[in-house]
Amino acid sequence: MRKLAPVALATLALVACSGTPEPATAPPSTVGPTTSAPAASPSATTSATTAQSPSPATSAASAVPETHELEVTVHDTFDEPWAMAWLPGTDALVITERGGTMKLRDASGVREVSGVPEVVVAGQGGLGDVIPGPTFTTDGTVYLSWVEAGDGGTGAVVGTAKLDVSAAALSDVAVIWEQRPKVDGDGHFAHRLAIQDDHLFVSSGDRQKMDPAQELDSTLGKILRLTLDGQPAADNPFSGEDAPVAQQFYSMGHRNPLGLAFDADGRLWSTEMGPKGGDELNLIQPGANYGWPVASNGSHYGGGEIPDHTDGDGFEPPKVFWTPSISPGSLMIYQGTLFPAWTGDAFIGGLSGEVLIRVDLDGETATEAENWPMGSRIRALSEGPDGAIWVLEDGPGARLLELRPS
Ligand SMILES: [Ca+2]
Ligand SMILES: [Ca+2]
Protein backbone atom coordinates (compact mmCIF):
# COMPACT_ATOMS: atom_id res chain seq x y z
CA MET A 1 0.00 0.00 0.00
CA ARG A 2 1.00 3.56 -0.47
CA LYS A 3 -0.40 6.84 0.57
CA LEU A 4 -1.54 9.61 -1.69
CA ALA A 5 -1.26 13.19 -0.66
CA PRO A 6 -3.26 16.06 -2.07
CA VAL A 7 -1.32 18.83 -3.70
CA ALA A 8 -1.94 22.50 -4.24
CA LEU A 9 -3.89 23.31 -7.38
CA ALA A 10 -0.96 25.13 -8.90
CA THR A 11 0.97 21.88 -8.84
CA LEU A 12 -1.75 20.11 -10.76
CA ALA A 13 -1.39 22.56 -13.61
CA LEU A 14 2.29 21.69 -13.72
CA VAL A 15 1.58 17.98 -13.77
CA ALA A 16 -1.17 18.30 -16.34
CA CYS A 17 1.08 20.32 -18.66
CA SER A 18 4.30 18.47 -18.28
CA GLY A 19 3.26 15.02 -17.25
CA THR A 20 6.01 15.09 -14.65
CA PRO A 21 5.10 12.73 -11.83
CA GLU A 22 5.05 14.14 -8.36
CA PRO A 23 7.12 12.37 -5.73
CA ALA A 24 3.97 11.08 -4.05
CA THR A 25 2.94 9.36 -7.28
CA ALA A 26 4.95 6.22 -7.40
CA PRO A 27 5.24 4.45 -10.76
CA PRO A 28 3.53 1.06 -10.79
CA SER A 29 6.72 -0.89 -10.29
CA THR A 30 7.53 0.87 -7.05
CA VAL A 31 4.12 0.61 -5.46
CA GLY A 32 5.06 -1.84 -2.81
CA PRO A 33 3.58 -2.84 0.49
CA THR A 34 3.17 -0.07 3.00
CA THR A 35 5.19 2.60 1.29
CA SER A 36 4.24 5.75 3.07
CA ALA A 37 4.73 8.90 1.11
CA PRO A 38 4.95 12.19 2.91
CA ALA A 39 1.46 13.38 3.61
CA ALA A 40 0.40 16.87 2.74
CA SER A 41 0.25 19.14 5.71
CA PRO A 42 -3.15 20.50 6.66
CA SER A 43 -1.95 23.96 5.71
CA ALA A 44 -1.18 22.89 2.15
CA THR A 45 -4.70 21.55 1.78
CA THR A 46 -6.22 24.63 3.29
CA SER A 47 -4.34 26.89 0.94
CA ALA A 48 -5.54 24.90 -2.04
CA THR A 49 -9.10 25.28 -0.87
CA THR A 50 -8.68 28.93 -0.05
CA ALA A 51 -7.28 29.67 -3.46
CA GLN A 52 -10.56 28.57 -4.98
CA SER A 53 -12.97 29.89 -2.40
CA PRO A 54 -12.77 33.35 -0.89
CA SER A 55 -14.83 32.34 2.13
CA PRO A 56 -14.07 28.80 3.28
CA ALA A 57 -16.63 29.01 6.05
CA THR A 58 -16.48 25.31 6.75
CA SER A 59 -12.77 25.06 7.45
CA ALA A 60 -12.59 26.23 11.04
CA ALA A 61 -16.12 25.50 12.19
CA SER A 62 -16.39 21.94 10.91
CA ALA A 63 -16.31 19.13 13.47
CA VAL A 64 -14.72 16.78 10.95
CA PRO A 65 -11.37 17.27 9.27
CA GLU A 66 -11.20 19.13 5.97
CA THR A 67 -9.49 16.24 4.30
CA HIS A 68 -8.19 12.72 4.77
CA GLU A 69 -4.97 11.01 3.93
CA LEU A 70 -5.45 8.17 1.50
CA GLU A 71 -4.14 4.68 1.72
CA VAL A 72 -4.03 2.98 -1.67
CA THR A 73 -4.38 -0.76 -2.17
CA VAL A 74 -3.72 -2.15 -5.63
CA HIS A 75 -6.02 -5.00 -6.61
CA ASP A 76 -6.50 -6.62 -10.00
CA THR A 77 -5.71 -5.39 -13.50
CA PHE A 78 -8.06 -5.06 -16.46
CA ASP A 79 -7.74 -4.50 -20.21
CA GLU A 80 -9.05 -1.09 -21.24
CA PRO A 81 -11.77 -0.95 -18.60
CA TRP A 82 -14.49 1.60 -19.19
CA ALA A 83 -16.94 1.45 -16.29
CA MET A 84 -17.58 -0.29 -13.00
CA ALA A 85 -20.47 -0.60 -10.58
CA TRP A 86 -21.05 -2.33 -7.27
CA LEU A 87 -23.99 -4.70 -7.36
CA PRO A 88 -26.40 -4.25 -4.45
CA GLY A 89 -27.02 -7.28 -2.28
CA THR A 90 -23.71 -8.83 -3.36
CA ASP A 91 -20.04 -8.21 -2.70
CA ALA A 92 -19.41 -8.10 -6.44
CA LEU A 93 -18.10 -5.33 -8.63
CA VAL A 94 -19.02 -5.49 -12.31
CA ILE A 95 -16.50 -4.04 -14.74
CA THR A 96 -16.78 -3.45 -18.47
CA GLU A 97 -13.82 -3.52 -20.82
CA ARG A 98 -14.09 -1.45 -23.99
CA GLY A 99 -13.10 -4.39 -26.17
CA GLY A 100 -16.37 -6.14 -25.38
CA THR A 101 -15.78 -8.14 -22.22
CA MET A 102 -17.47 -7.86 -18.86
CA LYS A 103 -15.89 -9.03 -15.62
CA LEU A 104 -17.20 -9.76 -12.14
CA ARG A 105 -14.87 -9.28 -9.23
CA ASP A 106 -15.61 -10.47 -5.72
CA ALA A 107 -13.80 -12.09 -2.83
CA SER A 108 -13.27 -15.26 -4.87
CA GLY A 109 -11.50 -13.45 -7.70
CA VAL A 110 -12.27 -12.15 -11.17
CA ARG A 111 -14.54 -13.99 -13.59
CA GLU A 112 -15.53 -13.20 -17.17
CA VAL A 113 -19.24 -12.79 -17.79
CA SER A 114 -20.83 -14.76 -20.63
CA GLY A 115 -23.59 -13.51 -22.91
CA VAL A 116 -22.27 -9.99 -23.52
CA PRO A 117 -23.70 -8.54 -26.76
CA GLU A 118 -21.51 -8.08 -29.81
CA VAL A 119 -20.09 -4.59 -29.86
CA VAL A 120 -18.30 -2.46 -32.45
CA VAL A 121 -14.81 -1.71 -31.16
CA ALA A 122 -13.24 1.34 -32.78
CA GLY A 123 -11.73 4.56 -31.53
CA GLN A 124 -13.54 5.52 -28.33
CA GLY A 125 -16.31 3.01 -29.00
CA GLY A 126 -16.98 -0.44 -27.66
CA LEU A 127 -18.65 -1.78 -24.57
CA GLY A 128 -19.54 1.17 -22.35
CA ASP A 129 -21.39 1.73 -19.12
CA VAL A 130 -23.07 -0.75 -16.78
CA ILE A 131 -25.31 0.02 -13.81
CA PRO A 132 -27.69 -2.08 -11.72
CA GLY A 133 -31.38 -1.41 -12.30
CA PRO A 134 -33.75 -0.56 -9.44
CA THR A 135 -34.94 -4.18 -9.32
CA PHE A 136 -31.48 -5.74 -9.45
CA THR A 137 -31.70 -7.46 -6.07
CA THR A 138 -34.88 -9.29 -7.05
CA ASP A 139 -34.46 -9.94 -10.78
CA GLY A 140 -30.83 -9.15 -11.71
CA THR A 141 -31.72 -6.38 -14.15
CA VAL A 142 -28.78 -4.27 -15.30
CA TYR A 143 -28.53 -1.47 -17.85
CA LEU A 144 -25.59 -1.32 -20.20
CA SER A 145 -24.45 0.73 -23.18
CA TRP A 146 -22.33 -0.17 -26.18
CA VAL A 147 -21.68 0.78 -29.79
CA GLU A 148 -23.34 -0.88 -32.77
CA ALA A 149 -23.14 -0.40 -36.52
CA GLY A 150 -26.06 0.37 -38.81
CA ASP A 151 -27.27 2.58 -41.62
CA GLY A 152 -25.06 5.66 -41.76
CA GLY A 153 -22.27 4.43 -39.51
CA THR A 154 -22.17 3.68 -35.81
CA GLY A 155 -23.99 4.81 -32.71
CA ALA A 156 -24.46 4.03 -29.06
CA VAL A 157 -27.28 1.87 -27.83
CA VAL A 158 -28.59 1.18 -24.34
CA GLY A 159 -29.91 -2.21 -23.36
CA THR A 160 -31.29 -4.10 -20.43
CA ALA A 161 -30.20 -7.59 -19.44
CA LYS A 162 -30.36 -10.04 -16.57
CA LEU A 163 -27.08 -10.59 -14.77
CA ASP A 164 -26.76 -13.83 -12.82
CA VAL A 165 -23.85 -13.11 -10.50
CA SER A 166 -23.31 -16.67 -9.29
CA ALA A 167 -23.20 -18.00 -12.85
CA ALA A 168 -21.38 -14.92 -14.23
CA ALA A 169 -23.89 -14.91 -17.07
CA LEU A 170 -25.77 -12.18 -18.89
CA SER A 171 -29.05 -13.10 -20.57
CA ASP A 172 -32.18 -11.55 -22.09
CA VAL A 173 -30.27 -8.65 -23.64
CA ALA A 174 -32.73 -6.19 -25.17
CA VAL A 175 -31.92 -2.86 -26.83
CA ILE A 176 -34.21 -0.15 -25.43
CA TRP A 177 -32.63 3.02 -26.83
CA GLU A 178 -30.59 4.02 -29.86
CA GLN A 179 -28.43 7.11 -30.42
CA ARG A 180 -29.67 8.70 -33.66
CA PRO A 181 -28.65 9.34 -36.30
CA LYS A 182 -25.84 6.86 -36.76
CA VAL A 183 -22.87 8.68 -38.23
CA ASP A 184 -19.32 8.01 -39.36
CA GLY A 185 -16.37 8.40 -37.02
CA ASP A 186 -15.70 6.69 -33.71
CA GLY A 187 -15.60 9.39 -31.03
CA HIS A 188 -17.82 11.12 -28.47
CA PHE A 189 -20.39 8.40 -27.87
CA ALA A 190 -20.53 9.34 -24.16
CA HIS A 191 -23.31 6.78 -23.41
CA ARG A 192 -23.10 7.19 -19.64
CA LEU A 193 -26.12 5.95 -17.65
CA ALA A 194 -27.78 6.99 -14.39
CA ILE A 195 -31.09 6.05 -12.81
CA GLN A 196 -33.21 8.13 -10.45
CA ASP A 197 -36.43 6.53 -9.22
CA ASP A 198 -38.20 5.29 -12.35
CA HIS A 199 -36.24 7.34 -14.86
CA LEU A 200 -33.18 6.40 -16.89
CA PHE A 201 -30.82 9.23 -17.84
CA VAL A 202 -28.47 8.74 -20.78
CA SER A 203 -25.69 11.08 -21.85
CA SER A 204 -25.34 11.19 -25.62
CA GLY A 205 -22.19 12.76 -27.03
CA ASP A 206 -22.02 14.94 -30.13
CA ARG A 207 -20.13 12.25 -32.12
CA GLN A 208 -17.67 15.01 -33.03
CA LYS A 209 -20.28 16.52 -35.37
CA MET A 210 -20.79 19.59 -33.12
CA ASP A 211 -23.87 21.33 -34.63
CA PRO A 212 -26.34 18.52 -33.88
CA ALA A 213 -25.90 19.37 -30.17
CA GLN A 214 -28.10 22.42 -30.87
CA GLU A 215 -30.64 20.64 -33.07
CA LEU A 216 -34.00 19.22 -32.02
CA ASP A 217 -34.10 16.36 -34.53
CA SER A 218 -31.04 14.49 -33.27
CA THR A 219 -30.16 12.86 -29.97
CA LEU A 220 -26.48 13.79 -30.43
CA GLY A 221 -25.14 16.22 -27.84
CA LYS A 222 -27.98 15.76 -25.36
CA ILE A 223 -28.77 14.33 -21.96
CA LEU A 224 -31.93 12.25 -22.23
CA ARG A 225 -34.54 11.36 -19.66
CA LEU A 226 -36.33 8.12 -20.41
CA THR A 227 -38.64 5.65 -18.77
CA LEU A 228 -36.99 2.48 -17.49
CA ASP A 229 -37.94 0.77 -20.76
CA GLY A 230 -36.32 3.45 -22.91
CA GLN A 231 -39.30 5.60 -23.93
CA PRO A 232 -39.38 9.42 -23.64
CA ALA A 233 -40.47 10.38 -20.13
CA ALA A 234 -43.94 11.87 -20.10
CA ASP A 235 -43.15 15.26 -18.58
CA ASN A 236 -39.86 16.07 -20.27
CA PRO A 237 -39.07 19.77 -20.87
CA PHE A 238 -39.19 19.58 -24.67
CA SER A 239 -42.41 17.57 -24.84
CA GLY A 240 -44.29 20.52 -26.30
CA GLU A 241 -41.89 20.99 -29.21
CA ASP A 242 -42.98 19.91 -32.64
CA ALA A 243 -40.11 17.45 -32.86
CA PRO A 244 -40.69 13.90 -31.68
CA VAL A 245 -36.99 13.23 -31.08
CA ALA A 246 -36.82 16.16 -28.66
CA GLN A 247 -39.35 14.48 -26.39
CA GLN A 248 -36.41 12.46 -25.08
CA PHE A 249 -34.31 15.52 -24.18
CA TYR A 250 -33.62 16.66 -20.65
CA SER A 251 -30.86 19.10 -21.61
CA MET A 252 -28.93 19.99 -24.78
CA GLY A 253 -25.77 21.67 -26.05
CA HIS A 254 -23.39 18.99 -24.76
CA ARG A 255 -20.11 17.84 -26.32
CA ASN A 256 -18.90 14.61 -24.68
CA PRO A 257 -20.51 14.19 -21.25
CA LEU A 258 -18.74 11.17 -19.76
CA GLY A 259 -19.83 11.72 -16.16
CA LEU A 260 -23.41 11.57 -14.90
CA ALA A 261 -24.34 11.34 -11.21
CA PHE A 262 -27.01 12.40 -8.75
CA ASP A 263 -26.28 14.05 -5.43
CA ALA A 264 -28.11 13.05 -2.25
CA ASP A 265 -30.69 15.81 -2.80
CA GLY A 266 -31.51 14.54 -6.28
CA ARG A 267 -29.64 17.11 -8.36
CA LEU A 268 -28.07 15.77 -11.54
CA TRP A 269 -24.45 16.68 -12.24
CA SER A 270 -22.40 15.92 -15.34
CA THR A 271 -18.80 16.20 -16.35
CA GLU A 272 -18.17 17.03 -19.98
CA MET A 273 -15.01 16.97 -22.05
CA GLY A 274 -14.46 20.35 -23.62
CA PRO A 275 -12.46 20.95 -26.78
CA LYS A 276 -8.94 22.40 -26.21
CA GLY A 277 -9.57 23.52 -22.64
CA GLY A 278 -12.97 24.23 -21.17
CA ASP A 279 -13.68 20.86 -19.55
CA GLU A 280 -16.85 21.29 -17.50
CA LEU A 281 -18.71 20.24 -14.38
CA ASN A 282 -22.34 21.12 -15.03
CA LEU A 283 -25.41 21.12 -12.82
CA ILE A 284 -28.01 19.71 -15.19
CA GLN A 285 -31.30 21.62 -15.19
CA PRO A 286 -34.31 20.43 -17.17
CA GLY A 287 -34.65 22.27 -20.46
CA ALA A 288 -31.31 24.05 -20.20
CA ASN A 289 -28.86 24.49 -23.06
CA TYR A 290 -25.18 24.06 -22.12
CA GLY A 291 -23.83 25.90 -25.14
CA TRP A 292 -21.81 23.50 -27.27
CA PRO A 293 -20.62 24.33 -29.93
CA VAL A 294 -21.71 27.98 -29.73
CA ALA A 295 -20.11 28.70 -26.38
CA SER A 296 -17.20 27.02 -24.59
CA ASN A 297 -14.49 28.16 -22.23
CA GLY A 298 -12.12 26.21 -24.44
CA SER A 299 -11.16 26.71 -28.06
CA HIS A 300 -11.01 24.51 -31.13
CA TYR A 301 -8.08 22.17 -31.60
CA GLY A 302 -5.94 23.47 -34.43
CA GLY A 303 -7.03 27.04 -33.84
CA GLY A 304 -10.33 28.85 -33.87
CA GLU A 305 -11.80 30.63 -30.90
CA ILE A 306 -15.16 29.76 -29.41
CA PRO A 307 -16.90 32.46 -27.37
CA ASP A 308 -16.63 31.71 -23.66
CA HIS A 309 -19.70 31.16 -21.53
CA THR A 310 -20.95 34.67 -20.70
CA ASP A 311 -23.81 36.03 -18.64
CA GLY A 312 -26.82 36.63 -20.82
CA ASP A 313 -25.78 34.42 -23.73
CA GLY A 314 -28.71 32.11 -23.09
CA PHE A 315 -26.56 29.15 -22.16
CA GLU A 316 -26.06 27.48 -18.80
CA PRO A 317 -22.42 28.01 -17.76
CA PRO A 318 -20.38 25.30 -16.03
CA LYS A 319 -20.12 25.37 -12.24
CA VAL A 320 -16.42 24.52 -12.51
CA PHE A 321 -14.24 24.39 -15.62
CA TRP A 322 -10.68 23.31 -16.38
CA THR A 323 -8.24 24.94 -18.78
CA PRO A 324 -5.93 23.32 -19.70
CA SER A 325 -7.93 20.15 -20.08
CA ILE A 326 -7.98 17.34 -17.54
CA SER A 327 -10.26 15.18 -19.72
CA PRO A 328 -12.88 14.19 -17.13
CA GLY A 329 -13.85 10.61 -17.89
CA SER A 330 -15.90 9.85 -14.82
CA LEU A 331 -17.92 11.46 -12.05
CA MET A 332 -18.85 10.04 -8.66
CA ILE A 333 -20.73 11.83 -5.91
CA TYR A 334 -19.65 10.44 -2.58
CA GLN A 335 -22.55 9.36 -0.37
CA GLY A 336 -20.65 7.38 2.25
CA THR A 337 -19.27 8.19 5.69
CA LEU A 338 -15.96 6.32 5.65
CA PHE A 339 -14.46 9.68 4.63
CA PRO A 340 -16.72 11.93 6.74
CA ALA A 341 -15.20 15.17 5.45
CA TRP A 342 -16.21 14.28 1.92
CA THR A 343 -19.81 13.14 2.20
CA GLY A 344 -21.76 14.82 -0.60
CA ASP A 345 -18.68 15.88 -2.57
CA ALA A 346 -17.97 15.12 -6.22
CA PHE A 347 -14.95 13.13 -7.39
CA ILE A 348 -13.74 13.36 -10.96
CA GLY A 349 -11.20 11.15 -12.67
CA GLY A 350 -8.99 12.86 -15.23
CA LEU A 351 -7.71 10.97 -18.25
CA SER A 352 -5.12 13.31 -19.78
CA GLY A 353 -4.85 15.06 -16.40
CA GLU A 354 -3.92 11.75 -14.71
CA VAL A 355 -5.60 13.09 -11.63
CA LEU A 356 -8.30 12.49 -9.05
CA ILE A 357 -10.15 15.70 -8.20
CA ARG A 358 -12.47 16.46 -5.31
CA VAL A 359 -15.04 19.16 -5.84
CA ASP A 360 -16.83 20.47 -2.77
CA LEU A 361 -20.57 20.50 -3.46
CA ASP A 362 -22.81 22.71 -1.35
CA GLY A 363 -26.31 22.87 -2.76
CA GLU A 364 -25.93 24.29 -6.25
CA THR A 365 -22.43 25.62 -5.53
CA ALA A 366 -19.35 23.67 -6.63
CA THR A 367 -15.77 24.53 -5.69
CA GLU A 368 -12.66 22.56 -6.61
CA ALA A 369 -11.11 21.59 -3.30
CA GLU A 370 -8.32 19.02 -3.70
CA ASN A 371 -6.56 16.92 -6.26
CA TRP A 372 -4.22 13.97 -6.24
CA PRO A 373 -1.80 13.28 -9.10
CA MET A 374 -2.29 9.59 -9.86
CA GLY A 375 0.51 9.01 -12.35
CA SER A 376 -1.86 7.36 -14.80
CA ARG A 377 -5.02 8.10 -16.73
CA ILE A 378 -8.10 7.57 -14.56
CA ARG A 379 -11.08 5.99 -16.31
CA ALA A 380 -13.68 5.09 -13.68
CA LEU A 381 -14.69 5.77 -10.08
CA SER A 382 -17.11 3.96 -7.81
CA GLU A 383 -18.02 4.06 -4.15
CA GLY A 384 -17.78 0.69 -2.44
CA PRO A 385 -20.44 -0.68 -0.09
CA ASP A 386 -18.47 0.43 2.98
CA GLY A 387 -17.62 3.87 1.58
CA ALA A 388 -14.16 3.12 0.20
CA ILE A 389 -13.38 4.91 -3.06
CA TRP A 390 -12.53 2.58 -5.94
CA VAL A 391 -10.57 3.85 -8.90
CA LEU A 392 -9.88 2.21 -12.27
CA GLU A 393 -6.98 3.30 -14.39
CA ASP A 394 -7.27 3.46 -18.18
CA GLY A 395 -5.77 1.40 -20.98
CA PRO A 396 -4.08 -2.02 -21.12
CA GLY A 397 -3.12 -3.41 -17.73
CA ALA A 398 -5.21 -0.80 -15.91
CA ARG A 399 -5.10 -1.29 -12.17
CA LEU A 400 -8.06 -1.36 -9.82
CA LEU A 401 -7.24 0.75 -6.76
CA GLU A 402 -9.00 0.96 -3.42
CA LEU A 403 -8.66 4.20 -1.47
CA ARG A 404 -9.30 4.20 2.26
CA PRO A 405 -8.48 6.63 5.04
CA SER A 406 -4.99 5.94 6.30
CA1 LIG B 1 -20.91 24.21 -21.87
CA1 LIG C 1 -13.57 30.00 -25.60
Side-chain angles (χ1 to χ4, degrees), residues 1-4 69-75 332 334 338-339 342 347 356-357 372 374 378 381-384 386-392 400-406:
M1 286 181 278
R2 64 176 167 134
K3 290 180 181 177
L4 277 177
E69 291 178 27
L70 296 171
E71 193 166 77
V72 183
T73 304
V74 179
H75 293 289
M332 176 194 82
Y334 186 70
L338 186 64
F339 296 97
W342 296 343
F347 287 81
L356 176 66
I357 293 174
W372 297 267
M374 300 297 286
I378 302 304
L381 303 174
S382 187
E383 180 182 325
D386 69 351
I389 295 172
W390 291 72
V391 177
L392 257 178
L400 177 65
L401 311 176
E402 178 184 4
L403 311 185
R404 305 185 68 87
S406 68

Side-chain angles (χ1 to χ4, degrees), residues 296-299 305-308:
S296 168
N297 291 349
S299 48
E305 194 40 63
I306 307 169
D308 288 354

Side-chain angles (χ1 to χ4, degrees), residues 253 272 280 282 290-292 295 309 316:
E272 177 171 325
E280 300 180 342
N282 289 311
Y290 289 78
W292 181 253
H309 280 284
E316 195 68 27

Side-chain angles (χ1 to χ4, degrees), residues 151-165:
D151 284 350
T154 60
V157 295
V158 174
T160 55
K162 306 287 188 200
L163 177 56
D164 181 335
V165 172

Side-chain angles (χ1 to χ4, degrees), residues 67-365:
T67 188
H68 303 273
E69 291 178 27
L70 296 171
E71 193 166 77
V72 183
T73 304
V74 179
H75 293 289
D76 316 274
T77 59
F78 295 88
D79 183 25
E80 288 196 66
W82 204 90
M84 63 174 160
W86 290 90
L87 298 171
T90 77
D91 64 346
L93 183 64
V94 61
I95 293 154
T96 61
E97 294 174 324
R98 191 183 62 85
T101 45
M102 182 179 285
K103 302 278 179 67
L104 277 173
R105 180 199 178 273
D106 59 22
S108 64
V110 176
R111 295 171 290 160
E112 183 168 343
V113 177
S114 65
V116 176
E118 287 293 309
V119 305
V120 171
V121 179
Q124 297 170 7
L127 186 58
D129 209 0
V130 60
I131 58 171
T135 57
F136 177 80
T137 53
T138 54
D139 65 8
T141 297
V142 295
Y143 287 74
L144 57 160
S145 63
W146 67 93
V147 171
E148 68 167 21
D151 284 350
T154 60
V157 295
V158 174
T160 55
K162 306 287 188 200
L163 177 56
D164 181 335
V165 172
S166 58
L170 207 59
S171 63
D172 302 334
V173 177
V175 172
I176 62 166
W177 177 84
E178 181 185 343
Q179 188 177 49
R180 280 188 288 197
K182 286 182 165 56
V183 295
D184 62 3
D186 51 29
H188 296 192
F189 298 95
H191 61 20
R192 184 68 72 188
L193 310 176
I195 289 175
Q196 182 188 50
D197 300 326
D198 52 356
H199 289 108
L200 169 68
F201 291 77
V202 180
S203 75
S204 176
D206 78 340
R207 300 299 320 282
Q208 301 175 302
K209 306 304 181 191
M210 301 200 292
D211 289 342
Q214 293 294 327
E215 295 167 356
L216 292 176
D217 61 353
S218 156
T219 56
L220 309 189
K222 312 297 187 316
I223 291 175
L224 311 167
R225 178 171 172 266
L226 308 173
T227 63
L228 291 178
D229 55 2
Q231 298 302 305
D235 49 352
N236 273 348
F238 295 86
S239 292
E241 301 284 346
D242 186 24
V245 175
Q247 292 173 9
Q248 304 174 54
F249 299 178
Y250 194 64
S251 61
M252 60 190 294
H254 298 288
R255 185 174 180 273
N256 193 18
L258 284 172
L260 201 57
F262 288 95
D263 67 25
D265 296 324
R267 297 180 199 88
L268 180 61
W269 297 81
S270 176
T271 51
E272 177 171 325
M273 289 215 191
K276 185 179 180 185
D279 290 341
E280 300 180 342
L281 173 64
N282 289 311
L283 173 60
I284 302 302
Q285 309 276 12
N289 187 328
Y290 289 78
W292 181 253
V294 184
S296 168
N297 291 349
S299 48
H300 289 296
Y301 287 102
E305 194 40 63
I306 307 169
D308 288 354
H309 280 284
T310 311
D311 282 350
D313 66 2
F315 301 123
E316 195 68 27
K319 294 293 186 181
V320 182
F321 69 93
W322 289 267
T323 301
S325 299
I326 56 163
S327 308
S330 48
L331 170 65
M332 176 194 82
I333 297 181
Y334 186 70
Q335 316 277 5
T337 55
L338 186 64
F339 296 97
W342 296 343
T343 306
D345 287 352
F347 287 81
I348 295 167
L351 289 162
S352 67
E354 300 189 346
V355 68
L356 176 66
I357 293 174
R358 178 172 73 88
V359 175
D360 182 43
L361 296 186
D362 182 11
E364 298 192 348
T365 302

